[in-house]
Amino acid sequence: MSSIDTATGCDAPEEISKERVHDIFSAIAKKYERFNAISSFGAYRIWLAELVQRSPVTSESRVLDLAGGTGDVSFAIARAKHPAHIQCTDLVSEMLDVARDHYRRGRANDTTIDFEVVDAQNIPYPDNSYDVVTVAYGIRNMPDRKRALFEMLRVLKPGGTLVCLEFSTPPNPVWRSLYGFYLKHLIPFWGGLITGDRKGFVYLSQSIKAFPRQEALARMFEEVGFERVEWTNCTGGIAAVHAARKPRF
Ligand SMILES: C[S@@+](CC[C@H](N)C(=O)[O-])C[C@H]1O[C@@H](n2cnc3c(N)ncnc32)[C@H](O)[C@@H]1O
């Protein structure tokens, strides 16, 4: 079996993680952004800026944002790089409803963004159709990560780039244990206080702990066929931005 329980990293049927993710994000959609800002002490903005900077987007680019949630990545890329088109997708329609609302209020400036419910493990778009694929805090929640990565590779044009922002593991042991304490005790507390759903934030802590380290994630990218895989640690490795290229031939 290639699917896992994303809370533990152990083999499990795909439905367990898929249903849990659906329940969590449909319930917290309207409060998601407030939680993000408070729990990361605003650092998520710096990490997002790193993703945007690492994304080789031009005014001609077609961009696919997977697990796009309430649209943070899509709007940041739209405002900074003005690509030809962004397809902002997510598994959970309630998250995309918030994104659509921001779009109607002009958050993308003049860039056209379309929104669609899509499971990143089964992308309904043709081969070789995007210049850049982005995924922020999404792949950790996917029970069949290899399949998701194969799908990302498939829809990228030859020479196109995948940029992935995800929580990671600080290499420094002192920083790692401080962060471990914050994850285990404070994240469920903050999450419960802000959204009223402590359970979802216990899951957040567990899934971060079970997620592969920077090197292992990079290897996974290479195993499905990406090349030139590199990453940048953010805030001492609490998060990392991985970038990888689809071979030209
Ligand atoms: C932590 S949020 C991140 C949202 C957004 N990328 C951001 O940076 O704020 C994780 C998102 O991943 C989505 N997600 C989880 N599993 C998914 C899947 N298999 N396919 C597409 N989206 C998925 C969830 O619905 C949720 O909106």
Side-chain angles (χ1 to χ4, degrees):
M1 181 186 300
S2 57
S3 71
I4 55 164
D5 177 342
T6 54
T8 62
C10 299
D11 288 355
E14 185 173 331
E15 288 64 36
I16 293 181
S17 300
K18 202 166 168 179
E19 280 166 24
R20 180 176 47 216
V21 153
H22 202 279
D23 289 350
I24 291 172
F25 287 100
S26 56
I28 65 163
K30 293 208 169 98
K31 298 168 189 158
Y32 169 77
E33 290 168 349
R34 190 154 22 118
F35 168 77
N36 246 358
I38 296 175
S39 65
S40 73
F41 302 103
Y44 83 102
R45 285 273 151 221
I46 301 170
W47 306 341
L48 177 59
E50 182 69 30
L51 176 148
V52 172
Q53 201 234 314
R54 308 278 304 178
S55 302
V57 174
T58 68
S59 57
E60 322 255 281
S61 299
R62 288 172 46 80
V63 178
L64 172 62
D65 184 20
L66 294 166
T70 58
D72 252 4
V73 169
S74 294
F75 297 132
I77 287 182
R79 287 196 304 267
K81 304 212 162 165
H82 319 287
H85 183 261
I86 301 179
Q87 186 74 3
C88 177
T89 64
D90 197 276
L91 186 66
V92 176
S93 59
E94 288 84 349
M95 293 291 275
L96 287 181
D97 288 343
V98 177
R100 278 194 196 94
D101 203 40
H102 292 324
Y103 184 62
R104 276 192 290 269
R105 290 165 198 260
R107 207 173 271 194
N109 290 347
D110 290 338
T111 302
T112 304
I113 304 183
D114 285 308
F115 301 88
E116 190 173 12
V117 172
V118 166
D119 182 345
Q121 300 164 127
N122 191 14
I123 301 174
Y125 306 136
D127 299 357
N128 308 323
S129 45
Y130 290 96
D131 300 284
V132 175
V133 170
T134 56
V135 57
Y137 314 112
I139 195 157
R140 175 174 37 84
N141 295 302
M142 296 175 197
D144 192 342
R145 292 176 187 145
K146 277 251 169 96
R147 179 148 58 96
L149 287 172
F150 271 124
E151 281 291 84
M152 295 176 204
L153 187 72
R154 180 182 67 74
V155 298
L156 272 170
K157 293 178 187 171
T161 303
L162 167 65
V163 190
C164 169
L165 166 60
E166 192 48 87
F167 288 110
S168 204
T169 305
N172 179 296
V174 176
W175 189 224
R176 190 163 62 239
S177 57
L178 282 173
Y179 175 54
F181 180 86
Y182 179 71
L183 264 187
K184 186 160 179 210
H185 300 288
L186 298 181
I187 284 285
F189 171 76
W190 277 125
L193 203 67
I194 296 164
T195 68
D197 176 19
R198 190 175 189 281
K199 204 168 51 38
F201 295 90
V202 171
Y203 164 71
L204 173 64
S205 298
Q206 289 172 330
S207 66
I208 292 174
K209 200 152 176 261
F211 192 66
R213 289 176 175 224
Q214 292 85 329
E215 298 79 357
L217 185 61
R219 260 199 313 279
M220 213 185 274
F221 284 29
E222 284 163 354
E223 279 162 18
V224 304
F226 282 100
E227 63 178 18
R228 298 199 192 175
V229 183
E230 45 191 47
W231 72 87
T232 312
N233 281 332
C234 304
T235 318
I238 287 180
V241 176
H242 283 70
R245 200 176 81 158
K246 175 169 175 171
R248 283 189 193 281
F249 306 105

